């Protein structure tokens, strides 16, 4: 066990004691990877393998119930545990979510985790950088999404969590799924990729125009960028999540686009693609937290714009983990 892993396990055991949890049982999941010494999935994609954490050991096993002491009163189980897996545990102890122990510890990333997240962001950015070299005219959203997915997998992405390609009026639909719409000159285009590289998740979202931007699109996009800059300036230690959201909304409201602003301004990322801090929680930023900042404006039936970047909160100032510009790139083919 490395020194860093030993310190992490010790912190988990202290949190278990504070929560009155005797044992953790984790299936292959972000929590599993957080506590695994190798940070990798077990052999066979983890089928039937669990990680059991007790006061004395951290063990990968196919028989987790056999490692739970008979004296255990409360057992923390993985939030992603399947119903069949829970039934097979067949233990008498009270089962409670392991997230009570692990979620607070996963909020703040150590230097090795920040480096891993930086590599994931660089990989995602490299995929979107290649988007400008593809032929978009006359292709469908679905076809371009397939091409980008292949590029992501070739980059070493172990899981494509979401891949969005939206053209024209579809850019105004936050949950749009790439379909059969043909991409034409004069279309706005939103492209975003969220994936997992070596366990860590990253999302990058950028805006393009096909041949030329639609009328008024650049003015609207400039508001999204202003909101992004304001949020980046506000993302400091001790700042509540709610204040960051207010900052974004104030900028967009002042522009006249307030009623079209996305209510969602971002979420935490790390081993999971959607972890704390989250909207609605009494979350306060602290050094080591990593956040996907994603302000957006969606004008129904017309167009939308969204930028997504992973940012690390530090004691001094927020640090974007990526380097790709926010330029409205005009595609010429």
């Amino acid at each position: 066990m490395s020194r860093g892993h030993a310190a992490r396990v010790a912190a988990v055991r202290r949190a278990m004691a504070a929560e009155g949890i005797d044992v953790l049982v984790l299936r292959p999941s972000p929590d599993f990877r957080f506590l695994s010494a190798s940070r990798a999935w077990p052999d066979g994609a983890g089928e039937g393998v669990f990680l059991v954490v007790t006061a004395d050991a951290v063990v990968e096993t196919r028989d987790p119930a056999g490692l739970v002491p008979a004296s255990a009163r409360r057992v923390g189980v993985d939030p992603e545990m399947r119903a069949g897996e829970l039934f097979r545990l067949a233990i008498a102890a009270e089962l409670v979510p392991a997230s009570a122990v692990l979620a607070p510890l996963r909020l703040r990333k150590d230097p090795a985790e920040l480096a891993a997240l930086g590599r994931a962001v660089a990989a995602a950015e490299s995929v979107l950088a290649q988007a400008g070299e593809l032929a978009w005219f006359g292709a469908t959203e679905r076809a371009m999404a397939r091409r980008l997915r292949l590029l992501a997998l070739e980059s070493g992405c172990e899981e494509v969590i979401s891949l969005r390609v939206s053209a024209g009026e579809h850019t105004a639909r936050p949950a749009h799924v790439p379909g059969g719409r043909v991409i034409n000159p004069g279309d706005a285009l939103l492209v975003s990729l969220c994936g997992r590289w070596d366990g860590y998740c990253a999302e990058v979202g950028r805006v393009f125009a096909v041949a030329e931007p639609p009328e008024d699109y650049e003015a609207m996009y400039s508001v999204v960028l202003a909101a992004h800059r304001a949020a980046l300036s506000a993302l400091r230690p001790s700042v509540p999540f709610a204040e960051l959201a207010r900052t974004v909304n104030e900028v967009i409201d002042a522009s006249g686009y307030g009623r079209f602003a996305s209510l969602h301004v971002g979420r935490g990322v790390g081993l999971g693609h959607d972890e704390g801090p989250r909207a609605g929680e009494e979350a306060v930023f602290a050094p080591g937290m990593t956040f996907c900042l994603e302000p957006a404006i969606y004008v129904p039936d017309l167009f939308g714009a969204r930028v997504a970047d992973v940012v690390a909160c530090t004691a001094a100032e927020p640090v974007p983990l990526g380097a790709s510009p926010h330029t409205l790139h005009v595609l010429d083919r």
Side-chain angles (χ1 to χ4, degrees):
M1 185 182 294
S2 70
R3 182 178 301 175
H5 183 245
R8 177 170 295 184
V9 171
V12 167
R13 286 178 173 143
R14 288 193 296 271
M16 288 169 62
E19 292 290 332
I21 293 175
D22 302 299
V23 182
L24 296 182
V25 179
L26 308 175
R27 75 176 314 279
S29 67
D31 282 342
F32 186 115
R33 275 186 133 149
F34 181 71
L35 277 177
S36 170
S38 65
R39 301 283 183 90
W41 295 125
D43 292 339
E47 189 63 33
V49 178
F50 298 83
L51 190 73
V52 178
V53 183
T54 67
D56 304 312
V58 180
V59 181
E60 290 185 16
T61 179
R62 294 184 180 275
D63 179 24
L67 294 178
V68 176
S71 59
R73 294 181 177 273
R74 300 182 84 215
V75 175
V77 295
D78 200 302
E80 296 188 13
M81 195 80 79
R82 299 165 183 166
E85 292 169 338
L86 287 171
F87 283 121
R88 284 198 299 274
L89 279 178
I91 54 179
E94 178 189 3
L95 302 182
V96 298
S99 51
V101 169
L102 296 172
L105 296 176
R106 284 177 49 194
L107 275 175
R108 300 177 68 166
K109 279 65 176 178
D110 62 30
E113 289 184 287
L114 290 174
L117 276 161
R119 292 191 294 272
V121 171
E125 286 190 336
S126 72
V127 175
L128 261 61
Q130 295 175 72
E133 306 303 319
L134 300 176
W136 293 82
F137 292 15
T140 65
E141 295 171 335
R142 186 182 296 113
M144 297 310 294
R146 283 197 297 263
R147 293 181 191 179
L148 291 170
R149 180 179 293 273
L150 180 59
L151 290 174
L153 295 174
E154 289 175 346
S155 76
C157 182
E158 62 190 44
E159 179 186 3
V160 177
I161 297 166
S162 68
L163 203 163
R164 180 181 180 189
V165 174
S166 307
E169 70 284 357
H170 290 172
T171 61
R173 302 177 182 176
H176 178 67
V177 176
R181 188 197 188 280
V182 174
I183 299 165
N184 297 307
D187 281 340
L189 190 67
L190 295 188
V191 180
S192 66
L193 168 65
C194 180
R196 191 189 308 275
W197 285 264
D198 294 328
Y200 285 85
C201 299
E203 178 163 0
V204 178
R206 292 294 181 267
V207 174
F208 300 83
V210 184
E212 61 179 356
E215 185 178 359
D216 297 330
Y217 191 74
E218 289 175 281
M220 185 268 287
Y221 180 50
S222 71
V223 176
V224 174
L225 293 184
H228 186 280
R229 289 192 296 270
L232 194 60
S233 297
L235 205 161
R236 295 288 193 277
S238 301
V239 171
F241 182 107
E243 184 174 327
L244 185 78
R246 280 195 299 271
T247 298
V248 169
N249 291 332
E250 286 171 1
V251 171
I252 298 177
D253 284 345
S255 73
Y257 281 100
R259 66 187 185 279
F260 304 124
S262 171
L263 297 177
H264 180 77
V265 300
R267 83 281 182 190
V269 292
L271 285 166
H273 71 282
D274 185 2
E275 53 187 48
R278 295 188 181 94
E281 298 177 344
E282 296 297 322
V284 175
F285 287 102
M289 289 186 179
T290 47
F291 190 73
C292 182
L293 182 60
E294 45 186 341
I297 294 174
Y298 301 111
V299 184
D301 302 319
L302 194 56
F303 46 55
R306 170 179 172 268
V307 170
D309 290 295
V310 179
V311 179
C313 181
T314 73
E317 59 183 1
V319 176
L321 297 185
S324 67
H326 297 138
T327 308
L328 175 57
H329 186 62
V330 178
L331 304 167
D332 58 7
R333 58 189 177 127

